[in-house]
Amino acid sequence: GAVVSQHPSRVICKSGTSVKIECRSLDFQATTMFWYRQFPKQSLMLMATSNEGSKATYEQGVEKDKFLINHASLTLSTLTVTSAHPEDSSFYICSARTGDLSYEQYFGPGTRLTVT
Amino acid sequence: AQSVTQLDSHVSVSEGTPVLLRCNYSSSYSPSLFWYVQHPNKGLQLLLKYTSAATLVKGINGFEAEFKKSETSFHLTKPSAHMSDAAEYFCVGRRGGRRALTFGSGTRLQVQP
């Protein structure tokens, strides 16, 4: 149980276009979802935290107008990279947390974004 | 703020020998600590977690970690490395009531035949 999926797994887009990444909890309801970014050979950096039905909370230094997050339901969160630039190329990973007290997060397989 | 520090960016062992991946944490509060593994181009898999129930935590695939408050450490060990253990390992912390996780910089484990 506790499976999180991401779609697409990899995407290549042209500079200036927007890209949407979906994160779904397949067999549980996620009260909170998190979006991370991972540069090559580096650790994961938290970008934002989203709760279903409310605005996302962005970490310092993350542009909320560039990285639009929508948590429309308890099983789906989307990250839209607007007006993408080559420096946005990265591995984006989402995680989902249930409402229980374990606070355990379940991670998606990640989406590799390449902006040309 | 809580932070976790992984002391080695790269560890190389021979197959069948013990594995030790080091992690230290800093927190004013009793932390929750995790070890995750990431295989190339894959998501993260939880190996084990410490949540104050027991200081020695056993995880999947033969891994275990011991929480040592006096040393503020949470090192990951395995008695005998397998080729399939080659991956990136992250020590992760969560302080008190915060929901977000803080990731260490990662340790790449290489297993030589």
Side-chain angles (χ1 to χ4, degrees), chain B residues 22-89:
Chain B
R22 298 183 294 167
C23 174
N24 286 106
Y25 71 91
S26 65
S27 176
S28 302
Y29 301 87
S30 181
S32 294
L33 293 164
F34 311 80
W35 275 98
Y36 283 87
V37 60
Q38 184 182 34
H39 290 276
N41 295 311
K42 296 285 183 65
L44 287 93
Q45 181 183 19
L46 178 66
L47 284 177
L48 49 81
K49 62 181 177 182
Y50 165 77
T51 54
S52 76
T55 56
L56 182 61
V57 183
K58 293 187 183 298
I60 62 171
N61 301 336
F63 285 95
E64 63 180 39
E66 185 172 6
F67 176 78
K68 292 186 176 180
K69 188 174 182 179
S70 59
E71 299 177 8
T72 60
S73 69
F74 189 59
H75 301 335
L76 181 71
T77 61
K78 183 173 180 177
S80 176
H82 192 273
M83 295 297 291
S84 61
D85 294 328
E88 188 86 14
Y89 290 80

Side-chain angles (χ1 to χ4, degrees), chain A residues 48-68:
Chain A
T49 303
S50 74
N51 294 298
E52 184 265 338
S54 62
K55 290 183 178 180
T57 301
Y58 289 81
E59 295 298 300
Q60 191 172 9
V62 178
E63 299 176 59
K64 61 181 180 181
D65 294 330
K66 180 168 186 61
F67 298 100
L68 301 179

